[in-house]
Amino acid sequence: MGTRHSAPRPRLAVWKFASCDGCQLTLLDCEDELLSLAAEMEIAYFLEASSAPGPGPYDLSLVEGSITTPEDAERIRHVRRVSKRLVTIGACATAGGVQALRDFADVKEFASVVYARPEYIATLDRSTPISANVPVDFELRGCPIDKRQLLEVITAFLAGRRPVVPSHSVCVECKLRGNVCVLVAHGTPCLGPVTQAGCGALCPAFDRGCYGCFGPADTTNSRALNTKLRILGMSDPELVRVYRTFNATEEQFMRASEEDRGPEEDRE
């Protein structure tokens, strides 16, 4: 009789570009779940966890970080070539991250101020999300991403289905958690009405306004929110800054930061 061979496990790779490693750490924080995951998938490439990377191709690649250098732009094309499915994780990978604030300024001027020999610095003028460089199969938002959502994404791709990730606003999570609305009750500036859920309304649960870590929700009414924020005393420059953080280059947040502002006003 012939020997029966089991089917090979799908191969997982985790890649880092310009980022703080927080989203990769979310995967490591899964702890007990990692044992079950390792039984279903071969974690073939994950430099944050192992110094022995396995060669491609890979069935699923998780990509953290934005594209900020010419080398990054070439490497992400390689990652796409060796990956059957590519999922971006975190605000840097999905929206360019806080480093995308360079998109609103002069990068060469920054380099001349920070570095003694800026001619040795190889950087791009813009920090772009992965999807601006190669096709992406799914984007998982957050700064950092949510552990439960990450496990859902990996499980979904193992099962051959589309991940189920909510697209409603943080306000829904506040209601589910029984939080008092910090915006209405306390007059605390909060981006919850225009931000996608995923964090479990963490900041409002501690009487802090939402910072927009998960980027814009599917449907937003930023004009109404901006009116409320102005009533609370927020100036136009402050309104720009509140939207230009983790997801500054997301179209809805960019538009919200510029609504009702005349061309003569300060665009910083």
Side-chain angles (χ1 to χ4, degrees):
M1 293 180 62
T3 303
R4 181 179 178 181
H5 298 283
S6 59
R9 291 176 296 165
R11 307 182 78 235
L12 172 70
V14 184
W15 308 84
K16 172 185 165 59
F17 287 82
S19 61
C20 71
D21 289 26
C23 294
Q24 292 183 84
L25 291 175
T26 298
L27 178 55
L28 292 177
D29 285 343
C30 290
E31 297 177 345
D32 291 343
E33 292 88 351
L34 270 179
L35 297 177
S36 299
L37 176 64
E40 298 296 330
M41 298 189 77
E42 176 191 353
I43 303 177
Y45 185 98
F46 189 5
L47 295 184
E48 188 84 7
S50 171
S51 59
Y58 309 100
D59 294 283
L60 174 62
S61 278
L62 303 178
V63 180
E64 176 194 77
S66 65
I67 304 304
T68 61
T69 69
E71 181 184 2
D72 285 345
E74 177 58 35
R75 190 160 66 95
I76 191 58
R77 288 192 287 270
H78 164 74
V79 172
R80 178 68 269 188
R81 285 194 297 268
V82 298
S83 305
K84 183 177 180 180
R85 295 286 185 270
L86 190 153
V87 173
T88 54
I89 56 173
C92 294
T94 62
V98 293
Q99 54 270 33
L101 292 174
R102 72 172 68 182
D103 297 7
F104 306 98
D106 186 339
V107 173
K108 292 181 179 178
E109 181 182 356
F110 283 159
S112 68
V113 171
V114 174
Y115 299 99
R117 299 297 298 273
E119 63 270 23
Y120 292 116
I121 303 301
T123 188
L124 300 172
D125 289 339
R126 298 172 62 84
S127 172
T128 55
I130 301 302
S131 62
N133 297 270
V134 296
V136 167
D137 295 291
F138 191 80
E139 294 184 314
L140 186 62
R141 296 180 181 175
C143 188
I145 55 174
D146 177 73
K147 166 185 170 180
R148 296 161 300 177
Q149 290 189 354
L150 176 60
L151 290 172
E152 160 62 17
V153 167
I154 295 174
T155 301
F157 277 93
L158 278 173
R161 61 174 175 82
R162 188 75 175 170
V164 180
V165 174
S167 59
H168 53 251
S169 74
V170 172
C171 292
V172 175
E173 291 189 315
C174 269
K175 287 177 170 38
L176 290 172
R177 193 162 177 167
N179 292 340
V180 173
C181 179
V182 297
L183 182 64
V184 174
H186 306 305
T188 302
C190 179
L191 292 185
V194 298
T195 298
Q196 181 175 294
C199 62
L202 180 61
C203 290
F206 290 92
D207 295 325
R208 300 292 300 272
C210 170
Y211 292 93
C213 302
F214 278 68
D218 268 3
T219 56
T220 62
N221 187 351
S222 57
R223 188 175 295 276
L225 177 61
N226 287 355
T227 298
K228 177 64 175 178
L229 294 176
R230 287 189 174 96
I231 291 173
L232 293 175
M234 188 172 286
S235 65
D236 282 337
E238 289 172 328
L239 202 60
V240 171
R241 285 195 291 272
V242 80
Y243 283 107
R244 291 185 182 176
T245 55
F246 312 98
N247 296 276
T249 57
E250 286 276 15
E251 181 181 352
Q252 297 96 316
F253 278 7
M254 286 185 66
R255 189 167 60 245
S257 72
E258 298 176 351
E259 282 176 346
D260 302 323
R261 301 175 64 235
E264 76 283 354
E265 293 180 285
D266 181 13
R267 294 277 173 172
E268 291 185 352

